[in-house]
Amino acid sequence: MSISKNQLKTITSLSQKKYRQKYNLFIAEGVKVVKELLNSSFEVDLLFATDDFETTISSDKIIRISDVELQKISNLKSPNKVLGLFKIPDEKSLQKNGLTIALDKVNDPGNLGTIIRLCDWFGVTQLICSKETVDCYNQKVVQASMGSLTRISIKYLDLENYLKEINLPSFIADMDGENVYKSELPKEAILIMGNEANGVSDAIKKLINNKISIPRFGETQETESLNVATATAILLSEFKRNV
Amino acid sequence: MSISKNQLKTITSLSQKKYRQKYNLFIAEGVKVVKELLNSSFEVDLLFATDDFETTISSDKIIRISDVELQKISNLKSPNKVLGLFKIPDEKSLQKNGLTIALDKVNDPGNLGTIIRLCDWFGVTQLICSKETVDCYNQKVVQASMGSLTRISIKYLDLENYLKEINLPSFIADMDGENVYKSELPKEAILIMGNEANGVSDAIKKLINNKISIPRFGETQETESLNVATATAILLSEFKRNV
């Protein structure tokens, strides 16, 4: 068997968000990520795999292809046995307990992938994204999240409205905030991380009083601010270390 | 003026470590990173810049080129006004005070760049790298370090020998280590971070008794271990938060 022209066209189109939404599908590649998706509640649509990819899924869900064909459809530098099309699941309903991370216009897919993985590690089960945040079914996000995507409830919504309505202590990560090491951090809270270049938007800063920062220990003031994924790691660690 | 054939050849060759060592030069690109290097103790060899790059360095150190020429020599997706050749500085002598980060075979240039930036943020002035660790003058490292490279003393050496001889409390970041949140962390110490896939090598694990880990809070055991740069961020935060 091989890949039909139509399938090729679909696969290529899925690099764009509008086609992911149209077909309700996204791409995941490589043995590790695809297997994690197969073992989750995510529903597989179709797998394109070389002969050495072992799986027990029904044969109508898998198309065996050559290494050359895989190379052709893969977006990875080193394609790894399988490219899968999966259905985009319905968003889960909002939870109000525990710690929630909220992202305000985070742009970089690698950063979002890392943050999803961090949520998984630190037991944060809900991630809220402003509508301008990069799509979590962008393939770079899927690959960077390393399967953690299957375990986190991710919701895209109007962040300003959400924060207005939710009745939970909220914290903005901000360079001018209070030293996080000296802040009292509740178990149930929302931690808001901002855009890579501009931080959290002014509209949201007006809404939320609590601002926390990771102090700079180096002597020079020239150090570039911490990357948003790195800052999320440190702040999550602070929220969780005393739980 | 434009770029000579010989200059083009040199620039291209500097993507390889052996030529960086032969010419004792490395490449940095973009206004921000180049300006940080120009304002540091690093010595510029030659800049290739478009007319809109403003600088006060002497005119024999700068070659004005067109956008098309810059595009041709640049390794960035979006070239930004300038590509500079800088001299690789002599390694500084070893310090024995404060906190030192030691890297055991860290491979990924982006990870090393992020770790250099983290050292700068957290006031760690010395970074020790095993000889197998990716070269810090690799251009991807230079770009990812965002100028922090100028403020950290980075030394490549035989890590096993170094650790045998140094008389400082040393800690290995290891999945099976003691919960870092419950560990007593001294101000003067060496924190050893391992390779992306394999962690710290067995030879070094035999040498060092203290192992620390970042506990997993998520319920599932399937979460991929934290990325080495992310783990370094959290552990550095733990070492520094009570100082």
Side-chain angles (χ1 to χ4, degrees):
Chain A
M1 243 190 308
S2 72
I3 307 167
S4 74
K5 255 196 182 165
N6 254 337
Q7 286 166 342
L8 189 62
K9 206 174 143 189
T10 306
I11 293 168
T12 309
S13 76
L14 292 177
S15 65
Q16 288 177 64
K17 185 177 170 185
K18 65 173 177 183
Y19 290 106
R20 289 195 293 273
Q21 291 180 334
K22 182 178 169 187
Y23 299 125
N24 205 40
L25 292 175
F26 70 97
I27 291 177
E29 281 198 69
V31 176
K32 183 182 156 35
V33 174
V34 168
K35 290 224 155 156
E36 286 228 37
L37 286 164
L38 291 175
N39 288 331
S40 76
S41 62
F42 280 58
E43 203 180 326
V44 65
D45 181 68
L46 202 53
L47 298 183
F48 300 88
T50 54
D51 287 339
D52 54 348
F53 177 72
E54 289 168 26
T55 175
T56 55
I57 71 161
S58 77
S59 57
D60 62 324
K61 293 280 186 196
I62 186 160
I63 293 181
R64 293 292 177 181
I65 59 174
S66 68
D67 284 324
V68 174
E69 285 178 303
L70 181 62
Q71 192 89 45
K72 202 170 153 186
I73 57 174
S74 174
N75 293 301
L76 303 182
K77 270 187 204 162
S78 318
N80 183 8
K81 296 185 187 174
V82 59
L83 179 148
L85 307 187
F86 290 86
K87 293 185 184 155
I88 295 178
D90 294 335
E91 287 191 354
K92 292 190 184 137
S93 50
L94 278 171
Q95 309 154 210
K96 279 201 176 177
N97 54 333
L99 180 63
T100 290
I101 301 284
L103 303 181
D104 183 19
K105 304 183 190 166
V106 166
N107 271 330
D108 182 80
N111 284 340
L112 179 55
T114 304
I115 290 169
I116 293 170
R117 212 169 137 188
L118 280 165
C119 285
D120 194 17
W121 185 272
F122 282 106
V124 171
T125 53
Q126 177 170 264
L127 178 64
I128 301 289
C129 299
S130 71
K131 294 203 164 156
E132 304 86 352
T133 292
V134 59
D135 178 29
C136 67
Y137 296 106
N138 172 309
Q139 201 192 330
K140 282 185 192 155
V141 179
V142 176
Q143 300 304 133
S145 82
M146 308 270 266
S148 291
L149 193 62
T150 62
R151 290 181 289 271
I152 311 299
S153 160
I154 304 175
K155 286 187 83 68
Y156 286 77
L157 41 71
D158 183 315
L159 190 56
E160 210 182 320
N161 280 342
Y162 168 77
L163 293 170
K164 271 181 195 158
E165 282 163 23
I166 194 95
N167 195 11
L168 270 177
S170 302
F171 295 82
I172 289 178
D174 186 82
M175 295 284 280
D176 300 323
E178 191 195 346
N179 181 338
V180 67
Y181 303 131
K182 292 178 178 161
S183 305
E184 218 169 293
L185 304 173
K187 282 185 197 180
E188 312 241 310
I190 298 167
L191 170 62
I192 307 157
M193 308 297 300
N195 169 271
E196 287 83 351
N198 306 313
V200 171
S201 54
D202 288 342
I204 287 172
K205 276 191 189 167
K206 269 185 206 154
L207 226 53
I208 309 290
N209 292 321
N210 300 318
K211 297 181 178 64
I212 49 175
S213 73
I214 302 159
R216 186 199 313 260
F217 291 84
E219 282 171 20
T220 139
Q221 291 304 303
E222 288 161 53
T223 318
E224 190 71 6
S225 67
L226 292 170
N227 162 290
V228 61
T230 310
T232 305
I234 294 168
L235 294 178
L236 268 177
S237 172
E238 284 299 312
F239 269 93
K240 289 290 185 170
R241 72 192 301 284
N242 293 320
V243 171
Chain B
M1 242 190 310
S2 72
I3 307 166
S4 74
K5 255 196 180 164
N6 252 336
Q7 286 166 344
L8 189 62
K9 206 174 143 189
T10 306
I11 292 168
T12 310
S13 75
L14 292 177
S15 66
Q16 288 178 63
K17 185 176 170 185
K18 66 173 175 181
Y19 289 105
R20 288 196 293 273
Q21 291 181 333
K22 182 177 166 190
Y23 299 125
N24 204 43
L25 291 176
F26 71 97
I27 291 176
E29 279 199 70
V31 176
K32 186 185 152 35
V33 174
V34 167
K35 289 224 158 158
E36 286 230 35
L37 286 165
L38 290 176
N39 288 330
S40 75
S41 62
F42 280 58
E43 205 179 325
V44 64
D45 182 64
L46 201 55
L47 298 183
F48 298 88
T50 53
D51 286 340
D52 55 347
F53 178 73
E54 287 168 26
T55 173
T56 55
I57 71 160
S58 75
S59 59
D60 62 322
K61 293 282 186 195
I62 187 161
I63 293 180
R64 293 293 175 178
I65 60 174
S66 67
D67 285 324
V68 174
E69 285 179 302
L70 181 62
Q71 192 89 44
K72 201 169 155 186
I73 57 173
S74 175
N75 293 301
L76 304 182
K77 272 186 203 163
S78 317
N80 182 8
K81 297 184 187 175
V82 58
L83 179 149
L85 307 185
F86 290 86
K87 293 184 182 154
I88 294 177
D90 294 335
E91 285 190 356
K92 293 192 182 134
S93 49
L94 278 171
Q95 309 154 208
K96 280 200 175 179
N97 53 333
L99 179 64
T100 290
I101 301 285
L103 304 181
D104 185 20
K105 303 182 190 168
V106 167
N107 270 332
D108 181 80
N111 284 340
L112 179 54
T114 304
I115 290 169
I116 293 170
R117 212 168 136 187
L118 280 165
C119 286
D120 194 17
W121 186 272
F122 282 106
V124 170
T125 53
Q126 178 170 264
L127 178 65
I128 302 288
C129 299
S130 71
K131 293 201 165 160
E132 305 87 353
T133 293
V134 59
D135 178 27
C136 67
Y137 296 106
N138 173 310
Q139 200 192 331
K140 283 185 192 155
V141 179
V142 175
Q143 301 304 134
S145 82
M146 307 270 266
S148 290
L149 193 64
T150 61
R151 289 181 290 271
I152 310 298
S153 160
I154 305 175
K155 286 185 84 70
Y156 285 77
L157 41 69
D158 182 316
L159 189 56
E160 207 181 323
N161 279 343
Y162 168 77
L163 293 170
K164 270 182 195 155
E165 282 163 22
I166 196 92
N167 194 11
L168 273 177
S170 301
F171 296 80
I172 288 177
D174 187 82
M175 296 282 282
D176 300 321
E178 190 194 346
N179 181 339
V180 67
Y181 303 129
K182 293 177 177 161
S183 304
E184 218 169 291
L185 304 172
K187 284 185 196 182
E188 313 241 310
I190 297 166
L191 170 62
I192 307 158
M193 307 298 301
N195 171 271
E196 286 84 350
N198 306 312
V200 170
S201 55
D202 288 342
I204 288 172
K205 276 192 188 165
K206 269 185 206 153
L207 225 54
I208 308 291
N209 292 323
N210 301 318
K211 295 181 180 64
I212 48 175
S213 73
I214 301 159
R216 188 195 316 256
F217 290 84
E219 281 171 22
T220 141
Q221 292 304 301
E222 287 161 55
T223 320
E224 190 73 6
S225 67
L226 291 171
N227 161 291
V228 62
T230 309
T232 305
I234 295 167
L235 294 177
L236 266 179
S237 173
E238 283 300 311
F239 269 95
K240 289 290 185 169
R241 70 192 301 285
N242 294 320
V243 170

